[in-house]
């Protein structure tokens, strides 16, 4: 598109400039691109503007009047921050109107529900796209560094899905993405609230504010339908205002979808019929995630044939309740659980399934919500037989201080061992497990699929699965 078409009111004295793409990240600029400069600090804006021009930017839009220089092709646009969605939609020709859009939000379970839904849809017709921050290297899946990309990246991906003749696009909608208006202008067809519990309080001022952000996703967008987990007050509040949506619950059998337990065999109970879970799927959170994806599939499908859906062929994400069988009677699980609720759900599921001892290895991220640390310690103390506290992205914080915060929630300090180096901690966990009775389990929580540790401005290669493989 040329600039005169994009912003005719600002094109005076600007030659007929053809723009190849738009980005708000100077490092992603290539020849012929438009760079949108939004840094709050003017010094940083100048630096990023120079970087964008060096990389080939044809033009820069800024939100700082003092930086306008039309001779250098830097143009000030009033209220630029508030008009990113309309600019993006104009440039990419409203791609979200031309493809079915599923938006998945929630504290835990976003990635899994998105991936399960992608698989459900592809079991019927393989013409769907998934945006994921896990590099899965599979057809139809577009990798993004951010859970929810910015609006220009998002529309660019959606445009590529349309070019590839995909009929649907699935992506996660994070609370950061909602608050920062990264989804501004996207027309969603279907939405899902997977869960709600404490998280991101380093970014949101309180649980109330965090809840309002999640709630706003459903109130500010016009959906054709949605699936809402009503096992939280926020879920119940959203559902009370969206009664045409479908409710899902692990606790309430009056909900539209719930998990039914028939003598140890688990089923998705739904208005469209029941589906039995394979024996390998027994954790509550996994069943709820699959059931949420199933609900989204059903409400968005014209014809529902449950015989064509096969739960045996549904795969889990790497690092999400990933099982490693160590011998005939002991195993290890790797999971991304990094909130008190997620850790509790997993430990409860393991405790129900396995009759031996439960060893829990975890840490907490540095420079993030400090209040959750003793809560996670309390959860581990109440459910695990042995605890190993270790690093989990301490960033610039002192790892010992983070562990001290976790220890505040642990009453029985005799069951807790501190090994700051995560590789050494995993080695110790495997040794402990080898000495335990039959049916014992080791859980490595917090890192999941992640391949790096952030420690004192250094990025260190570290992946729990690869570390375990190296030892066994």
């Amino acid at each position: 598109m040329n600039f005169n078409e994009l912003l005719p009111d600002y094109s005076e004295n600007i030659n007929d400039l053809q723009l190849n793409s738009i980005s708000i990240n100077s490092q992603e600029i290539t020849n012929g691109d438009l760079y949108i400069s939004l840094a709050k600090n003017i010094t940083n804006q100048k630096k990023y503007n120079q970087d964008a021009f060096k990389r080939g930017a044809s033009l820069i839009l800024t939100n700082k009047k003092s930086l306008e220089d039309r001779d250098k092709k830097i143009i000030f646009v009033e209220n630029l921050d508030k008009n990113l969605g309309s600019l993006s939609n104009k440039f990419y020709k409203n791609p979200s109107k031309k493809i079915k859009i599923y938006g998945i939000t929630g504290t835990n379970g976003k990635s899994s529900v998105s991936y399960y839904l992608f698989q459900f849809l592809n079991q019927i017709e393989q013409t769907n796209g998934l945006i994921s921050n896990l590099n899965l290297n599979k057809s139809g899946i577009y990798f993004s560094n951010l859970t929810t990309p910015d609006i220009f990246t998002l529309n660019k991906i959606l445009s590529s899905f349309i070019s590839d003749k995909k009929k649907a696009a699935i992506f996660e909608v994070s609370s950061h993405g909602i608050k920062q208006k990264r989804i501004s202008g996207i027309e969603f067809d279907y939405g899902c609230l997977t869960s709600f519990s404490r998280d991101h309080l380093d970014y949101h001022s309180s649980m109330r504010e965090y809840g309002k952000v999640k709630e706003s996703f459903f109130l500010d967008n016009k959906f054709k339908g949605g699936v809402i987990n009503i096992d939280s007050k926020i879920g119940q509040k959203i559902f009370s205002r969206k009664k045409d949506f479908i409710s899902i619950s692990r606790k309430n059998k009056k909900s539209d979808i719930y998990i039914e337990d028939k003598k140890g065999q688990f089923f998705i109970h739904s208005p469209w019929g029941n589906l039995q879970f394979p024996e390998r799927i027994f954790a509550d959170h996994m069943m709820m995630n699959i059931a949420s994806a199933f609900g989204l599939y059903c409400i968005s499908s014209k014809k529902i044939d449950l015989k064509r859906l096969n739960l045996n062929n549904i795969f889990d994400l790497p690092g999400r309740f990933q099982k490693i069988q160590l011998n005939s009677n002991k195993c290890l699980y790797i999971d991304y659980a990094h909130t008190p609720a997620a850790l509790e759900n997993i430990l409860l599921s393991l405790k129900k399934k396995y009759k031996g001892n439960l060893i829990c290895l975890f840490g907490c991220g540095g420079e993030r919500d400090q209040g959750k640390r003793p809560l996670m310690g309390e959860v581990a103390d109440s459910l695990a037989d042995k605890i190993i506290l270790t690093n989990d992205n301490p960033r610039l914080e002192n790892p010992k201080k983070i562990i001290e915060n976790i220890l505040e929630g642990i009453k029985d300090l005799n069951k807790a061992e501190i090994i700051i180096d995560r590789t050494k901690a995993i080695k110790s966990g495997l040794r402990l497990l080898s000495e335990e009775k039959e049916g014992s389990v080791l859980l490595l929580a917090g890192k999941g699929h992640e391949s790096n540790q952030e420690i004192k401005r250094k990025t260190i290669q570290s992946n729990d699965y690869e570390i375990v493989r190296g030892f066994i």
Side-chain angles (χ1 to χ4, degrees):
M1 180 178 285
N2 85 34
F3 183 66
N4 295 343
E5 290 177 90
L6 184 66
L7 280 172
D9 295 342
Y10 292 86
S11 60
E12 187 181 350
N13 299 328
I14 299 293
N15 293 331
D16 193 15
L17 213 59
Q18 196 69 24
L19 304 172
N20 293 334
S21 187
I22 304 179
S23 180
I24 60 171
N25 185 342
S26 66
Q27 294 182 349
E28 292 176 358
I29 292 293
T30 56
N31 283 332
D33 288 353
L34 170 64
Y35 172 55
I36 295 186
S37 189
L38 299 168
K40 292 179 181 178
N41 182 290
I42 286 183
T43 303
N44 285 342
Q45 266 215 36
K46 288 179 179 178
K47 176 180 149 188
Y48 300 145
N49 291 352
Q50 286 178 351
D51 183 41
F53 278 133
K54 280 180 184 176
R55 293 173 187 270
S58 296
L59 195 69
I60 291 175
L61 301 184
T62 177
N63 60 351
K64 305 286 186 190
K65 179 68 176 171
S66 63
L67 293 184
E68 183 170 48
D69 188 336
R70 283 185 166 252
D71 292 336
K72 291 183 179 178
K73 292 191 169 58
I74 301 175
I75 299 172
F76 166 71
V77 175
E78 199 169 356
N79 296 319
L80 179 60
D81 318 55
K82 296 177 182 178
N83 292 306
L84 300 182
S86 57
L87 268 176
S88 182
N89 276 336
K90 191 170 184 180
F91 187 87
Y92 289 105
K93 299 175 182 176
N94 293 295
S96 63
K97 285 185 175 181
K98 302 168 187 173
I99 188 171
K100 192 184 290 182
I101 304 287
Y102 297 87
I104 319 296
T105 195
T107 305
N108 301 307
K110 295 186 295 294
S111 299
S112 292
V113 171
S114 299
Y115 189 45
Y116 292 141
L117 175 60
F118 176 72
Q119 293 177 78
F120 276 133
L121 292 171
N122 280 8
Q123 282 188 8
I124 308 303
E125 192 173 9
Q126 293 188 346
T127 53
N128 307 284
L130 170 67
I131 303 171
S132 175
N133 65 346
L134 278 76
N135 204 347
L136 299 169
N137 197 26
K138 289 187 178 182
S139 176
I141 301 179
Y142 188 100
F143 173 70
S144 164
N145 284 313
L146 291 174
T147 302
T148 308
D150 68 80
I151 188 59
F152 296 101
T153 303
L154 203 45
N155 272 335
K156 189 175 184 179
I157 297 168
L158 295 180
S159 294
S160 73
F161 282 174
I162 292 165
S163 298
D164 293 339
K165 297 183 178 178
K166 303 208 178 299
K167 293 183 178 179
I170 307 157
F171 59 91
E172 300 172 50
V173 180
S174 67
S175 59
H176 292 65
I178 299 167
K179 192 169 182 180
Q180 294 169 11
K181 302 191 184 301
R182 294 184 213 158
I183 54 170
S184 175
I186 296 293
E187 295 197 15
F188 290 92
D189 294 288
Y190 300 95
C192 178
L193 178 74
T194 62
S195 64
F196 184 82
S197 60
R198 181 183 180 125
D199 201 11
H200 303 306
L201 294 196
D202 54 294
Y203 180 74
H204 302 290
S205 60
S206 64
M207 283 294 288
R208 185 182 177 189
E209 196 263 337
Y210 176 43
K212 280 187 173 181
V213 170
K214 290 293 189 190
E215 192 181 352
S216 71
F217 174 59
F218 296 95
L219 301 182
D220 295 347
N221 291 287
K222 294 179 181 178
F223 295 93
K224 293 176 182 176
V227 175
I228 304 295
N229 183 337
I230 59 170
D231 288 340
S232 68
K233 288 182 180 178
I234 286 295
Q236 291 161 17
K237 189 177 179 183
I238 293 168
F239 186 67
S240 71
R241 299 183 70 174
K242 291 281 185 180
K243 290 187 177 176
D244 54 333
F245 278 23
I246 295 295
S247 63
I248 181 170
S249 174
R250 184 68 182 96
K251 303 169 184 176
N252 186 351
K253 290 193 175 183
K254 291 182 180 179
S255 62
D256 297 301
I257 302 173
Y258 64 89
I259 308 303
E260 191 171 18
D261 183 354
K262 291 183 178 178
K263 297 179 180 178
Q265 291 185 320
F266 296 98
F267 296 81
I268 297 174
H269 189 282
S270 83
W272 306 278
N274 298 349
L275 278 182
Q276 184 175 353
F277 286 102
E279 193 176 337
R280 69 176 179 84
I281 300 171
F282 61 89
D284 283 356
H285 69 285
M286 280 182 71
M287 292 190 286
M288 283 290 286
N289 289 339
I290 291 171
S292 295
F294 170 77
L296 284 168
Y297 163 77
C298 289
I299 64 172
S300 61
S301 300
K302 291 179 180 177
K303 292 182 180 179
I304 300 164
D305 183 358
L306 297 191
K307 291 177 183 176
R308 296 181 69 186
L309 296 181
N310 189 342
L311 292 187
N312 286 299
N313 292 339
I314 292 290
F315 296 99
D316 307 318
L317 288 168
R320 299 302 200 275
F321 212 60
Q322 185 174 4
K323 181 182 179 182
I324 300 174
Q325 192 71 45
L326 298 176
N327 56 40
S328 60
N329 55 50
K330 291 177 188 175
C331 61
L332 171 152
Y333 282 84
I334 297 171
D335 195 86
Y336 190 51
H338 58 276
T339 68
L343 188 64
E344 182 178 27
N345 288 338
I346 286 168
L347 289 173
L348 281 170
S349 295
L350 290 174
K351 212 163 180 66
K352 286 178 188 175
K353 178 74 174 176
Y354 297 98
K355 303 307 176 189
N357 287 330
L358 183 51
I359 306 166
C360 179
L361 179 151
F362 75 103
C364 287
E367 300 177 333
R368 298 294 185 267
D369 178 14
Q370 293 186 15
K372 76 174 183 181
R373 295 171 186 173
L375 298 178
M376 291 186 72
E378 188 178 332
V379 167
D381 186 37
S382 65
L383 294 170
D385 298 289
K386 292 181 181 177
I387 301 167
I388 299 174
L389 299 178
T390 188
N391 268 349
D392 181 345
N393 291 334
R395 299 180 178 89
L396 293 177
E397 266 199 81
N398 184 336
K400 290 181 180 177
K401 179 64 179 174
I402 295 172
I403 288 173
E404 283 174 10
N405 293 155
I406 299 171
L407 285 170
E408 289 171 17
I410 299 176
K411 292 178 182 177
D412 186 359
L413 295 177
N414 291 323
K415 67 163 67 171
E417 183 179 2
I418 299 167
I419 305 174
I420 289 175
D421 183 293
R422 195 171 180 99
T423 299
K424 290 178 180 177
I426 291 172
K427 184 177 183 181
S428 179
L430 288 166
R431 178 186 54 78
L432 277 177
L433 183 62
S434 70
E435 297 167 357
E436 293 292 344
K437 60 186 177 183
E438 288 188 10
S440 293
V441 187
L442 169 63
L443 171 66
L444 309 183
K447 292 289 292 170
H449 65 285
E450 291 180 345
S451 56
N452 298 308
Q453 282 261 37
E454 296 175 51
I455 304 172
K456 292 182 180 177
R457 299 189 191 280
K458 291 182 180 179
T459 301
I460 298 165
Q461 190 171 352
S462 175
N463 174 267
D464 285 359
Y465 178 76
E466 293 301 329
I467 292 168
V468 171
R469 275 188 61 187
F471 286 131
I472 65 172

